[in-house]
C-alpha cells in the first residue's frame, strides 16, 4: 500500500533526528558523542537495525493484506490513493496553477516540432511572488545605502567588531579559566582561601613550608619580595615561574588560572603571620603604587577639607570681633 512518505525517506530522517538529539543532550566536548562514548554507537546501531526491521515487517504485512483483497477492493484502494495524492491537493494546485493531463489541450501551443508539442504553462505563483519580493528588496537597498547614504560595509564591520569585543570581554569577565595577570583580582572569601591553602600545601609547601616561612624558597610572610608583591605579580610569578635557573618552575601547565588565583590570594593572606624560625628576608620591600596614589589623593582631600574648615572658623572669628569690641 502506498505511503505518504516512503521508507527510504522516513528511515534516514528519523535516524538523523535521533543522532542530533543525542549530540544536543550529551556533553561530549570536542568529539561527537558516538565516538567518545561507545555505548552511544551501540544504541544507534540497534536503533537503525530496529527501524529497518520494522519497515520490512510493515511492508510484508501490507503485501499480505493487499493479496487478500478482492479485485473490487483493490480498485477502490487505488482510487482512494489517487484522490489523496499530493498533486491532486488544493495546496499543490494553488502553488503551481498547473493544468491536469486531461486539460492540457487548453494550453497546447500551435507549433509542432516533429510531433513534439509545447504547453503554455504559467509561472508558479510562489516563484512570481518571490521575484517581485527581490525587486522590492533591491529598491529598498538602493534607496537606503546609495541614496540616503546609510552605513557602508566598513562601518558595519567596525560595529560588528565592537559588539564582538564587548561579548568577548563579558565572557572573559565571567570565565574563571581565562584569568590572566592583568585581569586577576584578589580573593578574600573563606572558601576560596581554603581551596588556595589546599593547593599551597600540595604544591608549594615543599619549598616555602606549610606556614609560608620559607625553606628552599623565600619567606612569603614578610614585606620583602624578589619579583614583586600584590595579586598581579604573585599570580604572574606562580604562572610563569621564578628567575631563570634558580627560581621555581612555571605552574601554568599544572594549575588552572582560577587555581593560581586562589593560591596567590592565599599567599598574600599569609602576610604578617610571622611564623617561628622564618627565613631571612630576600628581595626588597614592595609597595603598591596604586594604593599609595589613592592614599595620597585621600590625604590631599583631607588636608583641603581641614584647611577649608580652618578658613571658615577664622572668618567667623573675624566677623565676631567688632561685636566683642562693641560690648
Amino acid at each position: 500500500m502506498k505511503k505518504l512518505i516512503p521508507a527510504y525517506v522516513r528511515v534516514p530522517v528519523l535516524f538523523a533526528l535521533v543522532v542530533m538529539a543525542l549530540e544536543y543532550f550529551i556533553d561530549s566536548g570536542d568529539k561527537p558523542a558516538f565516538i567518545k562514548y561507545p555505548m552511544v554507537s551501540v544504541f544507534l546501531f540497534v536503533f537503525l537495525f530496529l527501524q529497518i526491521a520494522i519497515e520490512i515487517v510493515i511492508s510484508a504485512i501490507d503485501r499480505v493484506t493487499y493479496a487478500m483483497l478482492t479485485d473490487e477492493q483493490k480498485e477502490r484502494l487505488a482510487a482512494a490513493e489517487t484522490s489523496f495524492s499530493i498533486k491532486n491537493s488544493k495546496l499543490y494546485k494553488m502553488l503551481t496553477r498547473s493544468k491536469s493531463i486531461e486539460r492540457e489541450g487548453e494550453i497546447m501551443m500551435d507549433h509542432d516540432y516533429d510531433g513534439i508539442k509545447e504547453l503554455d504553462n504559467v509561472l508558479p505563483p510562489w516563484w512570481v511572488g518571490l521575484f517581485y519580493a527581490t525587486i522590492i528588496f533591491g529598491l529598498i537597498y538602493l534607496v537606503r545605502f546609495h541614496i540616503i547614504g546609510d552605513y557602508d560595509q566598513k562601518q558595519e564591520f567596525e560595529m560588528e567588531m565592537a559588539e564582538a569585543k564587548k561579548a568577548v570581554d563579558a565572557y572573559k569577565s565571567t570565565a574563571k579559566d581565562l584569568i590572566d595577570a592583568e585581569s586577576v583580582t584578589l580573593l578574600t572569601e573563606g572558601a576560596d582561601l581554603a581551596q588556595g591553602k589546599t593547593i599551597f600545601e600540595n604544591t608549594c609547601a615543599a619549598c616555602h613550608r606549610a606556614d609560608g616561612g620559607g625553606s628552599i624558597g623565600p619567606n612569603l610572610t614578610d614585606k620583602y619580595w624578589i619579583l614583586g608583591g600584590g595579586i598581579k605579580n604573585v599570580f604572574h610569578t606562580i604562572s610563569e615561574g621564578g628567575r631563570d635557573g634558580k627560581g621555581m618552575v612555571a605552574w601554568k601547565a599544572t594549575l588552572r588560572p582560577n587555581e593560581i588565583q586562589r593560591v596567590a590570594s592565599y599567599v598574600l593572606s599569609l602576610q604578617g603571620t610571622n611564623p617561628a624560625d622564618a627565613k631571612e628576608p630576600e628581595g626588597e620591600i614592595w609597595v603598591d603604587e596604586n594604593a599609595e596614589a589613592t592614599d595620597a589623593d585621600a590625604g590631599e582631600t583631607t588636608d583641603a577639607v581641614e584647611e577649608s574648615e580652618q578658613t571658615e572658623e577664622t572668618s567667623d572669628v573675624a566677623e565676631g570681633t567688632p561685636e566683642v569690641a562693641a560690648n
Side-chain angles (χ1 to χ4, degrees):
M1 296 180 187
K2 189 175 181 181
K3 298 293 190 302
L4 182 63
I5 302 176
Y8 60 81
V9 175
R10 291 197 304 270
V11 172
V13 170
L14 184 58
F15 183 75
L17 291 175
V18 172
V19 172
M20 289 188 291
L22 291 175
E23 291 295 336
Y24 178 79
F25 289 107
I26 298 177
D27 185 8
S28 57
D30 56 346
K31 292 183 179 180
F34 67 90
I35 293 179
K36 189 171 184 179
Y37 303 108
M39 287 304 298
V40 175
S41 300
V42 174
F43 171 79
L44 291 175
F45 175 78
V46 173
F47 179 76
L48 182 61
F49 176 80
L50 290 175
Q51 272 190 290
I52 297 174
I54 291 171
E55 292 293 341
I56 293 174
V57 171
I58 292 176
S59 178
I61 293 174
D62 287 343
R63 285 198 298 270
V64 172
T65 304
Y66 185 78
M68 296 173 63
L69 297 177
T70 62
D71 293 339
E72 182 181 354
Q73 290 174 328
K74 290 179 180 179
E75 291 177 0
R76 282 188 294 176
L77 177 62
E81 289 179 348
T82 303
S83 63
F84 283 103
S85 65
I86 296 177
K87 290 186 177 181
N88 292 330
S89 64
K90 292 182 179 179
L91 179 63
Y92 182 84
K93 292 179 179 179
M94 183 181 67
L95 292 177
T96 60
R97 293 179 61 187
S98 60
K99 297 288 186 179
S100 62
I101 296 178
E102 294 79 8
R103 300 178 60 188
E104 283 185 351
E106 299 176 9
I107 55 174
M108 188 77 69
M109 302 185 73
D110 297 334
H111 50 262
D112 188 329
Y113 300 98
D114 296 331
I116 301 174
K117 296 184 178 182
E118 185 179 0
L119 299 177
D120 188 17
N121 283 310
V122 297
L123 292 172
W126 66 267
W127 191 95
V128 176
L130 184 62
F131 175 69
Y132 288 132
T134 58
I135 295 176
I136 295 172
F137 175 83
L139 292 174
I140 295 174
Y141 186 92
L142 176 66
V143 172
R144 180 180 178 184
F145 293 102
H146 293 279
I147 298 178
I148 298 177
D150 204 347
Y151 60 87
D152 55 17
Q153 291 182 342
K154 180 180 179 182
Q155 292 172 333
E156 183 180 8
F157 172 77
E158 292 174 350
M159 289 188 295
E160 291 184 357
M161 290 299 293
E163 292 177 0
K165 186 177 184 303
K166 290 180 181 179
V168 171
D169 293 339
Y171 172 72
K172 286 184 176 180
S173 64
T174 57
K176 295 183 178 180
D177 284 338
L178 293 179
I179 300 170
D180 56 20
E182 295 300 323
S183 62
V184 67
T185 56
L186 180 66
L187 301 176
T188 57
E189 295 292 335
D192 294 323
L193 295 178
Q195 294 178 14
K197 180 180 179 181
T198 301
I199 299 172
F200 182 87
E201 291 175 348
N202 293 333
T203 58
C204 310
C207 296
H208 296 282
R209 289 183 10 188
D211 56 10
S215 177
I216 300 174
N219 182 0
L220 301 177
T221 64
D222 55 29
K223 297 182 179 180
Y224 291 82
W225 295 90
I226 298 174
L227 298 176
I231 186 63
K232 297 184 183 297
N233 289 323
V234 176
F235 182 96
H236 182 270
T237 302
I238 297 173
S239 176
E240 304 298 330
R243 297 163 294 175
D244 294 336
K246 53 183 178 180
M248 70 176 185
V249 298
W251 287 96
K252 62 183 179 182
T254 306
L255 300 176
R256 295 194 299 270
N258 62 328
E259 293 176 329
I260 297 177
Q261 181 187 26
R262 291 189 178 98
V263 71
S265 299
Y266 174 73
V267 167
L268 292 175
S269 72
L270 297 175
Q271 290 285 288
T273 54
N274 299 321
D277 301 326
K279 192 175 181 181
E280 293 296 324
E282 298 179 67
E284 300 177 353
I285 295 178
W286 184 83
V287 180
D288 189 351
E289 296 179 356
N290 295 328
E292 273 190 338
T294 303
D295 294 341
D297 293 340
E300 291 177 1
T301 304
T302 303
D303 293 341
V305 171
E306 292 177 353
E307 183 179 353
S308 176
E309 291 176 350
Q310 291 175 358
T311 303
E312 291 178 359
E313 291 176 357
T314 304
S315 176
D316 292 341
V317 171
E319 291 177 357
T321 301
E323 296 181 0
V324 174
N327 293 334

